[in-house]
Amino acid sequence: MQPDKIIDCAIIGGGPAGLSSALVLGRSRRNVLLFDDATNRNQVTHESHGFLTRDGTTPSELRRLGREDVSAYPSVTIVDQKVSSITPAKDDSFFTFTTTDDQTYYAKKLILAVGFKESLPSIEGIHHFYGKSVFNCPYCDGWELRDQPLIIINDTEHASHMAKVLYNWSKDLVLATNGSEFKIEPDVRQRLEAKGIRINTKKIVQLSGENGQLSSVTFEDGTKLHRSGGFVAPTFIFNPLREQMNFELTEHGALIIDDFGRTSIKHIYAAGDAISPAYSQLIVSAASGHKAGIGVNSDLTEELFV
Ligand SMILES: Cc1cc2nc3c(=O)[nH]c(=O)nc-3n(C[C@H](O)[C@H](O)[C@H](O)COP(=O)(O)OP(=O)(O)OC[C@H]3O[C@@H](n4cnc5c(N)ncnc54)[C@H](O)[C@@H]3O)c2cc1C
C-alpha cells in the first residue's frame, strides 16, 4: 500500500552538500525534507577557509547562513533528527525513512549527503589540538600555519606528497611516521632531506600545549621537539547509511556517480564528502550538492512525461 504523503526528495545531511541540494530543489518547487543530526566533523575547528565570500567564517555560521537561505523556500523542511533506517519499497517507487525519535517519512528520491568521520592516530592530546593548530588539509589551513615549525604526522604512502605540498607554506618541517616504517623510496627521502625536511620514525607519545595551541611533541625515547602546528593523516570512516547500501565503488572506495550525483542505485544520489574524501572541501561539497539537486529535479521532471 502506498503511504498518503510521499515527498519528492529526502536529503540526509545538512552540511554544505545537503544544504546546496535543498536550495536548488526548493527553488525548483520540490517538496524536500532535509535531515540533520549536527554531527559534522568540522565543528572542532574555529574557522573555515576557502569558501568564496565566507573565507574565515566559523562552520556553525556557514550552516546558519545556509539554513537561512533554504528557509526562504516553503517547500523545504529541515528535520533536526538522525535518520536511523532507509528502506526501499518493493517496487522501488519510494523510500521509507525512520528517525531516532520514531517518526516515519516517505520520499521518491534520496540524496545522501552524510559526510564521513575520521579517526586520528592514538596519540595522547591529539584531540585537544585537532582543528585548532593541527589539521588534515593544507589547502584549508596551510595559510594560517605559514612559516611556523610544523610536524606532519603521516605514515601512509602519501606522506612525502604531504611534506612536499606543505613545503610551500613552511620550510621548518618534520615528517613523523609515528613508529611506522617510512614507506617511500630512498631517493624520494633524499630529495626531502636535501630541502631540509627532517624525517622521524619514532613513536609519538604526546602532543602538548595550551588552549588548543600545540607547543611540543614528545617521542617514545623522551626527546621533545618544539612545534607550533601540524598536519595529520586521519583514517576515514564512512557513514553507516552509506556502508549499508550496496553501492558500486571505485577501486579507492569512492561512490561511482555520474555528473549529477546519480549513484549505481536507482533514485539515490550522493553529494559531498559522502562520495569520497577527495570532495573534502566545503566549496566542492556544496557544488556537488547543487549538481545532485539538479539531477533529482531533472529525473522527477522526466518521470512526469513518460
Ligand atoms: C578540522 C577540519 C577543518 C576543516 N577546514 C576546512 C576548511 O577550512 N575549508 C574547507 O573547504 N573544508 C574544510 N574542512 C572539510 C569540510 O568540513 C568538509 O569537506 C565539508 O564539511 C563536507 O561537507 P558535507 O556536506 O559533505 O558533509 P558535512 O559537513 O560533514 O555534513 C554532513 C552532515 O550529515 C549529517 N548526518 C550524518 N549522518 C546523518 C544521519 N544518519 N541522519 C541525519 N543527519 C546525518 C551530519 O550531522 C552532518 O551535519 C575541514 C574539515 C575538518 C575536519
Side-chain angles (χ1 to χ4, degrees), residues 121-164:
S122 96
I123 298 171
E124 192 183 327
I126 195 162
H127 290 276
H128 186 57
F129 303 101
Y130 189 59
K132 317 279 185 305
S133 54
V134 176
F135 302 93
N136 77 90
C137 159
Y139 297 98
C140 301
D141 300 288
W143 172 260
E144 282 60 40
L145 298 187
R146 65 192 183 281
D147 298 326
Q148 294 187 32
L150 303 181
I151 183 106
I152 303 166
I153 305 169
N154 192 325
D155 70 344
T156 73
E157 66 274 24
H158 307 299
S160 62
H161 178 71
M162 197 184 223
K164 288 180 203 165

Side-chain angles (χ1 to χ4, degrees), residues 201-217:
T201 55
K202 284 179 258 174
K203 198 159 178 51
I204 299 171
V205 289
Q206 194 181 22
L207 301 188
S208 312
E210 278 183 14
N211 301 322
Q213 176 56 59
L214 182 69
S215 60
S216 66
V217 179

Side-chain angles (χ1 to χ4, degrees), residues 252-270:
H252 301 296
L255 293 184
I256 293 180
I257 54 164
D258 74 0
D259 285 347
F260 290 95
R262 296 177 186 95
T263 68
S264 56
I265 303 180
K266 204 173 171 199
H267 306 304
I268 304 186
Y269 307 69

Side-chain angles (χ1 to χ4, degrees), residues 24-25 28-30 269 292-302:
V24 71
L25 284 168
S28 307
R29 311 182 75 183
R30 296 297 180 185
Y269 307 69
I294 292 177
V296 166
N297 186 57
S298 169
D299 292 348
L300 287 168
T301 304
E302 287 302 327

Side-chain angles (χ1 to χ4, degrees), residues 12-18 35-42 44-45 47-50 63 81-83 113-116 118 130-131 135-136 140-141 239 241 271-274 279-283 285:
I12 311 181
F35 298 95
D36 190 68
D37 67 354
T39 57
N40 49 303
R41 69 190 180 100
N42 67 339
V44 295
T45 196
E47 288 186 1
S48 292
H49 305 108
R63 281 176 172 242
Q81 288 294 333
K82 177 177 178 148
V83 172
V114 288
F116 61 77
E118 58 216 331
Y130 189 59
F135 302 93
N136 77 90
C140 301
D141 300 288
N239 190 284
L241 293 178
D273 281 3
Y279 282 71
S280 191
Q281 301 268 294
L282 297 159
I283 203 152
S285 294

Side-chain angles (χ1 to χ4, degrees), residues 167-186:
Y167 188 73
N168 205 37
W169 279 284
S170 173
K171 304 287 179 268
D172 187 352
L173 299 174
V174 173
L175 174 52
T177 62
N178 190 23
S180 297
E181 204 182 306
F182 196 48
K183 297 188 183 81
I184 62 169
E185 301 299 319

Side-chain angles (χ1 to χ4, degrees), residues 2 88-95 107-109 265-267:
Q2 289 259 327
K90 283 205 173 78
D91 64 356
D92 275 346
S93 62
F94 66 93
F95 297 95
K108 293 178 203 162
K109 309 280 185 195
I265 303 180
K266 204 173 171 199
H267 306 304

